[in-house]
Amino acid sequence: MLNSLFVNCQDQKEALAIERRRRFEESRKQRIFNARRRVIGVDTDALGYQVQEKQEAKQAKAEQSRKLAEEVRRQEHVLLLKQREQRQERVRQEDELNRFRATHQRPEQSRDFDLFDPDALKKALPARTGDNDPRLSVSGAQLFDGEDLQERHRRKVQCEQQRSWLEQQIREKRQAEIDRRAAERFLEEALMARETHLHQLTSQERYAREKIHEAVNEFNRRLTHEQEQQRQCKDREEQEDNLAEIYNNLTSDILTENPDAAKSSFGPNRVITAQYKGMSPEEIDQIRHTQQQQLEALERKRQEEANTRHAWDQLAIDFDKAVMTKENELTRRRHALAEQIRHENRLLALEQHRKIEHLDKVIYQNRPTQAYFDQFNTCTR
């Protein structure tokens, strides 16, 4: 009996609760689905009550957050102190462990230190010390016919020898250039000295001629003066002397400019400056011929240097052409590789496109209908 009463009471309570929720839902629908009341009519009391509830909830939440933050700060402070103590304890234990290891557990004190000794290869003997090493066996594969054990040393010696030859060639070339410039300077100085000597000889010749003319004029003036004084008493004798004097002057070496008169007795290449009349045409032609030969030799030397420079320039041009050919080959290879990558990318794009079409047309076939969208906005919840 009691059970039946209790069941009926429970059923009544549930029925009342269901009825209360139904009425609340109906009133809520009238408020929510009535557009005029929802837009124009506003329940200010309900709104104020809601605002007050929100403020109280906000204040309660703020107070709860403040207490929670204080508790978090206190817990963080305690945790920080604990972590600091743990860190110090860990550092102390690690220091003690390191001191113990450094004192009683050094690597060289272990039984198998020889297995992981970092200097084992330095301490161990090489695989072979020579062709007569007694450790070499037939199956050791350490000795072969025709091997060059001194290859590294030989290559090093060859590189050093090539470097020394190259340095010697550079020094010889520089020295040859210095000698060439010195020879050119010496030749130019010799030519300048000869030109200066020729100018000096010409000046001396001009000076000697002027002196001779002055002496002749002075002698003629004295002779004329004596003739005027002795004309009356020695006319005939004076006339004969004048004729003899004129003959002697006309036939003398001074006026006839005999080159043999200027030769000195001190040597074949020395001349008497008072009687020197200048170089002969043969001597001048010989000097000019010698100068022409020197100029031709200098021109040949310059032509040889120009040919050498042209050969070096041609060698540099050939080297540049070889480098450009290599660069063009590398460029063609890069282009071919890029074309291959583009072809592979196109194939991957086609494969991806086929996969997307398969997903859209085969796998993803369950499209939402209008009934799926109509089930929304049917209640206030």
Side-chain angles (χ1 to χ4, degrees), residues 160-171:
E160 292 178 355
Q161 188 175 11
Q162 289 179 358
R163 189 183 298 108
S164 63
W165 288 348
L166 182 59
E167 292 177 354
Q168 183 179 1
Q169 290 177 1
I170 292 173
R171 289 195 300 270

Side-chain angles (χ1 to χ4, degrees), residues 234-293:
K234 298 181 180 179
D235 189 11
R236 186 171 180 174
E237 183 181 358
E238 189 175 301
Q239 188 174 5
E240 292 178 357
D241 292 336
N242 290 335
L243 292 174
E245 185 68 24
I246 291 170
Y247 178 75
N248 290 331
N249 289 327
L250 292 175
T251 57
S252 64
D253 293 335
I254 296 174
L255 296 180
T256 57
E257 296 185 357
N258 186 8
D260 296 333
K263 293 182 179 180
S264 175
S265 60
F266 294 101
N269 295 327
R270 302 185 66 176
V271 295
I272 301 174
T273 58
Q275 299 180 2
Y276 183 70
K277 303 302 181 180
M279 292 186 294
S280 62
E282 291 79 7
E283 293 177 348
I284 295 173
D285 292 338
Q286 184 178 2
I287 291 173
R288 291 178 178 174
H289 181 67
T290 304
Q291 291 178 348
Q292 185 66 26
Q293 289 179 350

Side-chain angles (χ1 to χ4, degrees), residues 183-204:
E184 290 181 356
R185 287 197 300 271
F186 178 75
L187 180 60
E188 292 177 357
E189 291 176 358
L191 293 175
M192 293 295 296
R194 287 193 178 186
E195 291 293 336
T196 305
H197 185 62
L198 289 175
H199 286 302
Q200 291 178 356
L201 291 178
T202 305
S203 301
Q204 292 177 0

Side-chain angles (χ1 to χ4, degrees), residues 319-380:
F319 182 74
D320 292 338
K321 288 181 179 179
V323 172
M324 289 298 296
T325 303
K326 192 66 176 178
E327 289 181 355
N328 293 333
E329 181 67 22
L330 292 176
T331 303
R332 286 194 296 272
R333 290 181 180 178
R334 286 196 296 269
H335 289 171
L337 181 59
E339 183 64 26
Q340 183 179 359
I341 292 172
R342 285 194 294 270
H343 179 68
E344 293 178 355
N345 290 335
R346 285 196 295 270
L347 294 178
L348 291 174
L350 292 175
E351 183 66 23
Q352 186 177 9
H353 183 67
R354 287 195 296 270
K355 288 183 179 180
I356 292 173
E357 288 183 351
H358 178 71
L359 291 175
D360 292 338
K361 295 180 180 180
V362 178
I363 296 177
Y364 301 140
Q365 292 294 323
N366 188 13
R367 301 292 182 178
T369 60
Q370 186 63 32
Y372 173 77
F373 296 103
D374 292 340
Q375 66 181 343
F376 297 103
N377 200 19
T378 57
C379 66
T380 60

